[in-house]
Every structure is written in C-alpha cells, then in structure tokens.
Amino acid sequence: MPKNKGKGGKNRKRGKNEADDEKRELVFKEDGQEYAQVLRMLGNGRCEAMCIDGSKRLCHIRGKMHKKVWIAAGDIILVGLRDYQDDKADVIFKYMPDEARLLKAYGELPENTRLNEGIGGLDEEEEGAADDYIDNLLGCSGGFAMPLGRPAGGVRIDSDTHYCNLEKFSVETS
C-alpha cells in the first residue's frame, strides 16, 4: 500500500476561514468592468448573469474565487468584460448583501434591481407574498393567516396528507 506523501487532505485544500464578516472597502467598477446579477448557476465554474447594461452574459468564475467564494442566483457581482467576446465575461468580485445595498444607495445600481433574493424569492415589498407562501405550504387556496401564524380555516392532517376548509375549524380525535 502506498504511503501518503501529501501534507493533509481535503480540509487543507479548503483553507482557513479568513474573517469575511469584517468591514471591507467597497469596490466600484472601472473601465472594462460591469455590475451584474446572477440569473442561474450552470456548473463547471460558470454562471449566467444579467449585466446592468442590459445584456445577458455567460460568466466564468476565476480560479482565485472558485470553491472559496460561493455564488448563488440573485447575487450581485462585478464582471470583467472581454474585448474579443461580447457575450462572455469573467467574475471578478462578489458583493455581500450590505455592499449591494450601498451600491444601490450610491446610484451605481438601477432602482429596479431586486436585491437579496434568489430567482422567485419572497420580497417584503410584495403584498400578500407571505400569505401565498403559507397557503402553498398548507395546500390551501384562498386561505388567510391569523396573527399566530395559523390558517383561518380548519386543517386536518391524516398521515402524509392534509385537508383545509375555510368554514369551521374542527379537530378529529382517534
């Protein structure tokens, strides 16, 4: 059986957690760079992003960020544009949620940019979104949530299925 010649395994490759919670200086775009919002992750270190200039680009995550900075759908990123390929770009930097809010406050991002959500996520500004979310969880249509978080109609749970009615709340005991 061969001897291990390395200096550790998978955990060594991951590196140390370098206190990302500290305040860091806000990075603004320069010439040849653009802000973008990730639409979806494609795998193999690539993602599809909608740039602020209105074009959709295939973005490649650079090696320095690969497996160290996790990027998800809805994140605000800084991409480097390519001179020779307009439909492709390279991810240079990922903004934390508070940094993205600052960019929007400074006017770097347009007002219609939706921050801090995945595609199809809930937004506090959207009225009734939480009620729809609760109804979808309960499988009820047209139900409303009371302040305690319970449905106004009755819910009966039988093993893996549940039933909802809006007339009366009745509890059946076995």
Side-chain angles (χ1 to χ4, degrees), residues 9-18 67-68 70:
K10 184 194 289 187
N11 291 334
R12 180 165 164 68
K13 288 180 186 176
R14 282 191 189 146
K16 297 176 184 169
N17 188 4
E18 297 176 357
K67 291 192 177 182
K68 290 178 180 62
W70 291 100

Side-chain angles (χ1 to χ4, degrees), residues 63-75:
K64 185 178 179 181
M65 297 176 66
H66 190 68
K67 291 192 177 182
K68 290 178 180 62
V69 179
W70 291 100
I71 297 176
D75 288 344

